[in-house]
Amino acid sequence: MRVAIAGAGAVGRSIAAELIDGGHQVMLIERESHQFEPETVEQADWVLGDACEVSTLEESGIQLCEVVIAATGDDKVNLVVSLLAKTEFAVRRVVARVNNPANEWLFTDAWGVDVAVSTPRMLAAMVEEAVSVGDLVRLMTFRQGQANLVELTLPQETPLEGKAVSEINLPRDAALVTILRGDRVIVPQPDDPLEPGDELLFVASADIEPDIKSALGY
């Protein structure tokens, strides 16, 4: 997969290195000459230019990328890059970094954003998840306001112990996508039994999150 990353600061370079390790082709676009350091991620293609300019994006070949990540430290820049990538170049998937949580409401499909990643929100969610056994925790928002990734950890005295996945009567707009059990990642099958300590990951619309808890007996 070919991925373009706008912003070659510490965050952008770290993302690039991870994606390259995963076998992906990566292009880094950076407008500040002092941050243009191709030797830091040698396997990536580097472009010196302003990702908010249509000409820069076109010359870099962004239209050939399946994913664009707007990873600069400026929310205004990330929104403009997202909008251009989606509307001018029809990039299939656009991921945007949210630096200021107060701006998170802007990062929607209206600005071309498919997935908004807010580091403060995610860190808070991880802390909450670590101490909230039996509570539903929102980890990530997809197309803000339409779908969320939420997690619930089954307590040791869960009434669901031994019950099959098919016995959970989930609301229509919710899906159990993964069970984390120790170091295992389980793609749930109807006959799979649940165990205490299981971390259940759901994709669901925000308005039915309380119904998920009810379906699980909480």
Side-chain angles (χ1 to χ4, degrees):
M1 181 171 64
R2 185 161 178 79
V3 182
I5 301 172
V11 173
R13 293 196 303 268
S14 295
I15 296 170
E18 291 287 340
L19 289 172
I20 289 169
D21 286 345
H24 302 290
Q25 293 179 290
V26 176
M27 174 174 62
L28 279 161
I29 305 174
E30 176 54 54
R31 67 180 180 181
E32 302 292 345
S33 58
H34 67 274
Q35 290 193 156
F36 190 79
E37 301 175 335
E39 68 278 5
T40 59
V41 189
E42 293 181 348
Q43 301 95 324
D45 297 325
W46 285 71
V47 175
L48 181 61
D50 189 346
C52 291
E53 296 287 343
V54 173
S55 58
T56 298
L57 298 178
E58 187 172 18
E59 292 169 8
S60 69
I62 201 170
Q63 63 272 15
L64 302 176
C65 296
E66 290 98 332
V67 179
V68 166
I69 302 173
T72 79
D74 188 325
D75 284 345
K76 297 187 295 296
V77 171
N78 290 343
L79 286 171
V80 172
V81 171
S82 298
L83 186 62
L84 291 177
K86 184 65 72 173
T87 60
E88 296 294 326
F89 298 96
V91 175
R92 183 170 58 86
R93 195 73 167 165
V94 177
V95 180
R97 173 188 177 188
V98 185
N99 296 278
N100 185 346
N103 296 330
E104 193 169 356
W105 66 277
L106 287 166
F107 285 73
T108 68
D109 56 354
W111 279 93
V113 178
D114 294 306
V115 179
V117 180
S118 172
T119 302
R121 177 187 284 269
M122 292 187 69
L123 288 172
M126 292 303 156
V127 172
E128 189 178 354
E129 185 270 336
V131 298
S132 301
V133 174
D135 287 333
L136 203 63
V137 179
R138 185 178 299 177
L139 299 179
M140 184 178 291
T141 297
F142 305 101
R143 290 188 178 273
Q144 186 169 345
Q146 296 185 30
N148 299 315
L149 178 67
V150 296
E151 185 269 356
L152 186 142
T153 299
L154 297 181
Q156 290 302 310
E157 301 299 326
T158 176
L160 296 175
E161 182 175 5
K163 287 192 174 182
V165 168
S166 59
E167 295 182 58
I168 304 176
N169 187 24
L170 290 174
R172 185 180 65 178
D173 294 330
L176 175 61
V177 293
T178 305
I179 299 173
L180 302 179
R181 182 177 296 159
D183 58 358
R184 295 180 60 197
V185 177
I186 301 170
V187 178
Q189 303 299 315
D191 295 333
D192 287 342
L194 299 174
E195 297 181 5
D198 282 354
E199 295 182 49
L200 310 181
L201 299 182
F202 301 88
V203 173
S205 57
D207 58 337
I208 64 166
E209 289 177 12
D211 297 331
I212 296 175
K213 290 193 67 174
S214 298
L216 296 172
Y218 299 101

